[in-house]
């Protein structure tokens, strides 16, 4: 039995080193190849010669033998041993020089017993046509019966506020889970072990599905996975409209269906805030062929700020433009997105400072001042509920934000 090299350790790689690669997936992306592991969502872009190196290594050649073959085929003297070291750092190599390399444990997938063959239907044309036919039928129904168009009054289906809030919370979280499950199901159908978890987007606490391995799937599958959640929201709203058309106006089922339709539609504007990593952002990133539109946009924004300071002070060398190394099309997309990113983020944080935080502080102060032994029990209960709910939400946001920060630091080499 071969020795096992611990995670993070770097074995010595020489010209005679042979390797056994882990299960890698490929797809062409313009003049490059995207290669990586779907199970952990790790991938890298390689030129044609890089792909050829991997093919030769997979055929059992040593680093020196692959180097000689490439020199004869392309005339390039490629440092294959150094390339193997890079592959080891990416955790793409299972064995090097007869020694097994330990792999970092992949994050546990959500619903691990759900296999790709169980949900292959999500990629079928029938599912796509159903996702289109349902909203079309609902739209025709709304044109014929404008009174069914959802409005804010649909949320106030009962005179009892507690019932309204309870139903809104239950229905809203159910729709949210269906939204995330749609991402997971489509990703799992392509072989990606997606994971659902809490996350943050600026001041927002969100549920998110990690489908990073989908980057190695065909474009149709990638776009389907990105848009699956929005499709579910639209489908739920459409079904509620169609069922509402079959119920008598004014009845409890009719009012509840109107509330469901609105609750399914309300989260959709958030998805178009592409200055954050929303569903539509990932569609935009894919269509612009940018591999990290958000990160590149943020880097260009920081460069623009440093350039302004340099222009004002006129001291030292000018900062280097990080987008200059990108292809022309990707460079234009990154610079345009950077402006959207800065303006959108500024508007969001301004709303937090001017509206959300003052409202939360006011509610907390009022609730704290309403507590007391001389207050009626119902008043104390109401104030305590406000204090517990708002405090819990803010603490949950802070804990989720911190965990995401730690996770990103650990993922950074």
């Amino acid at each position: 039995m071969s020795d096992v090299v611990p995670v993070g350790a770097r074995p010595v790689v020489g010209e005679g080193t042979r390797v056994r690669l882990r299960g890698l997936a490929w797809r062409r992306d313009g003049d490059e190849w995207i290669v990586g592991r779907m199970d952990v969502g790790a991938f890298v872009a390689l030129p044609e010669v890089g792909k050829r190196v991997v093919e030769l290594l997979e055929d059992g050649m040593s680093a020196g033998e692959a180097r000689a073959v490439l020199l004869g085929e392309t005339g390039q003297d490629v440092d294959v041993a150094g390339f193997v070291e890079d592959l080891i750092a990416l955790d793409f190599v299972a064995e090097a020089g007869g020694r097994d390399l330990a792999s970092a444990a992949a994050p546990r997938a959500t619903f691990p017993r759900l296999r790709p063959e169980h949900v292959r239907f999500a990629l079928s044309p029938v599912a796509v046509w159903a996702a289109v036919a349902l909203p079309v039928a609902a739209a025709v129904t709304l044109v014929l019966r404008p009174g069914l168009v959802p409005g804010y009054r649909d949320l106030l289906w009962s005179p009892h506020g507690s019932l309204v809030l309870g139903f809104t919370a239950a229905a809203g979280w159910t729709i949210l889970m269906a939204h995330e499950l749609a991402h997971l199901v489509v990703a799992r159908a392509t072989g990606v072990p997606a994971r659902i978890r809490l996350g943050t987007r600026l001041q927002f606490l969100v549920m998110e599905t990690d489908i990073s391995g989908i980057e190695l799937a065909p474009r149709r599958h990638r776009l389907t996975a990105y848009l699956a959640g929005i499709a579910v929201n639209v489908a739920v709203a459409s079904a509620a409209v169609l069922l509402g058309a079959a119920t008598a106006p004014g009845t409890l089922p009719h009012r509840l269906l109107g509330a469901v339709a609105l609750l399914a539609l309300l989260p959709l504007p958030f998805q178009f805030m592409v200055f954050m990593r929303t569903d539509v952002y990932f569609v935009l990133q894919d269509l612009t062929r940018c591999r990290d539109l958000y990160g590149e946009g943020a880097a260009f924004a920081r460069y623009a700020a440093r350039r302004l300071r340099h222009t004002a002070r006129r001291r030292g060398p000018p900062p280097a433009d990080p987008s200059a190394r990108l292809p022309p099309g990707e460079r234009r997309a990154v610079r345009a997105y950077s402006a959207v990113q800065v303006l959108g983020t500024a508007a969001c944080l301004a709303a937090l400072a001017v509206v959300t935080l003052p409202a939360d502080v006011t509610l907390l102060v009022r609730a704290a001042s309403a507590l007391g032994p001389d207050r009626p029990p119902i008043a104390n209960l109401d104030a305590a509920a406000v204090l517990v709910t708002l405090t819990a939400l803010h603490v949950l946001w802070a804990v989720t934000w911190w965990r995401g920060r730690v996770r990103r630091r650990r993922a950074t080499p």
Side-chain angles (χ1 to χ4, degrees):
M1 181 180 293
S2 61
D3 297 331
V4 177
V5 179
V7 175
R10 299 292 183 87
V12 177
V13 178
E15 293 293 296
T17 301
R18 301 180 191 274
V19 300
R20 177 170 56 84
L21 301 178
R22 304 192 192 278
L24 302 180
W26 296 86
R27 73 168 177 87
R28 180 178 282 280
D29 185 38
D31 295 332
E32 295 180 316
W33 289 86
I34 306 298
V35 58
R37 296 173 56 190
M38 277 190 169
D39 57 338
V40 296
F43 53 89
V44 67
L46 295 178
E48 192 71 40
V49 66
K51 179 177 183 294
R52 181 60 178 149
V53 172
V54 173
E55 289 174 343
L56 294 174
L57 294 173
E58 286 181 328
D59 288 341
M61 290 189 182
S62 67
E65 291 169 344
R67 183 175 187 173
V69 170
L70 286 170
L71 183 61
E73 290 180 350
T74 67
Q76 300 181 52
D77 187 13
V78 179
D79 181 11
V80 177
F83 183 80
V84 169
E85 291 178 348
D86 292 338
L87 293 180
I88 291 173
L90 291 166
D91 200 11
F92 287 0
V93 180
E95 180 185 315
R99 303 181 69 190
D100 291 336
L101 305 185
S103 177
R108 181 175 172 80
T110 304
F111 304 125
R113 294 186 179 181
L114 188 66
R115 310 297 302 168
E117 56 269 21
H118 298 157
V119 290
R120 200 77 71 188
F121 66 88
L123 297 174
S124 71
V126 175
V128 176
W129 281 109
V132 173
L134 200 58
V136 168
V140 172
T141 301
L142 292 177
V143 170
L144 298 176
R145 296 179 58 180
L148 294 173
V149 175
Y152 77 92
R153 290 185 178 85
D154 291 307
L155 294 177
L156 308 175
W157 55 273
S158 170
H160 303 290
S162 58
L163 291 178
V164 170
L165 290 176
F167 178 81
T168 298
W173 276 98
T174 300
I175 294 170
L176 176 60
M177 280 304 301
H179 177 107
E180 299 305 326
L181 280 172
H183 293 306
L184 184 144
V185 164
V186 176
R188 190 67 53 82
T190 67
V192 175
R195 293 165 288 274
I196 298 176
R197 64 193 178 199
L198 285 175
T200 58
R201 298 291 185 271
L202 293 178
Q203 68 263 42
F204 304 105
L205 180 68
V206 300
M207 191 81 74
E208 62 182 11
T209 305
D210 179 5
I211 58 172
S212 50
I214 201 72
E215 180 66 26
L216 295 162
R219 168 168 282 188
R220 182 176 70 86
H221 294 173
R222 299 197 305 272
L223 295 179
T224 302
Y226 299 147
L227 294 171
I230 292 176
V232 163
N233 280 67
V234 173
V236 169
S238 301
V241 167
L242 294 173
L243 291 172
T247 59
T251 61
L252 180 60
H254 185 87
R255 296 198 301 270
L256 290 176
L257 287 167
V260 168
L262 196 60
L263 289 171
L265 293 174
L266 282 176
L268 295 186
F270 174 81
Q271 300 297 343
F272 287 87
M273 297 183 181
V274 294
F275 52 89
M276 298 181 284
R277 290 187 176 97
T278 60
D279 295 353
V280 178
Y281 158 80
F282 286 105
V283 173
L284 180 64
Q285 177 176 257
D286 199 287
L287 294 178
T288 56
R289 295 186 178 277
C290 295
R291 297 191 183 94
D292 185 13
L293 187 58
Y294 186 92
E296 296 286 0
F300 183 78
R302 290 191 293 269
Y303 154 75
R306 290 195 298 267
R307 188 178 64 180
L308 286 175
R309 289 197 299 270
H310 177 269
T311 302
R313 297 175 181 177
R314 297 184 180 279
R315 289 184 298 182
D321 181 359
S323 69
R325 59 182 174 77
L326 301 174
E330 188 173 346
R331 183 166 60 245
R332 288 191 294 270
V334 164
R335 291 176 177 178
Y337 174 77
S338 181
V340 174
Q341 189 179 29
V342 170
L343 294 174
T345 300
C348 239
L349 294 179
L352 172 67
V354 175
V355 179
T356 307
L357 284 182
D360 285 355
V361 170
T362 301
L363 284 173
L364 287 170
V365 170
R366 286 179 180 176
S369 62
L371 288 172
D374 57 332
R375 300 285 185 177
I378 190 66
N380 278 322
L381 184 61
D382 180 72
V386 171
L387 285 172
V388 170
T389 301
L390 284 180
T391 302
L393 284 174
H394 286 290
V395 169
L396 183 58
W397 181 93
V399 170
T400 304
W401 176 84
W402 180 254
R403 286 179 175 175
R405 181 182 176 89
V406 171
R407 187 169 57 246
R408 287 190 294 274
R409 280 182 174 179
R410 289 176 177 173
T412 302

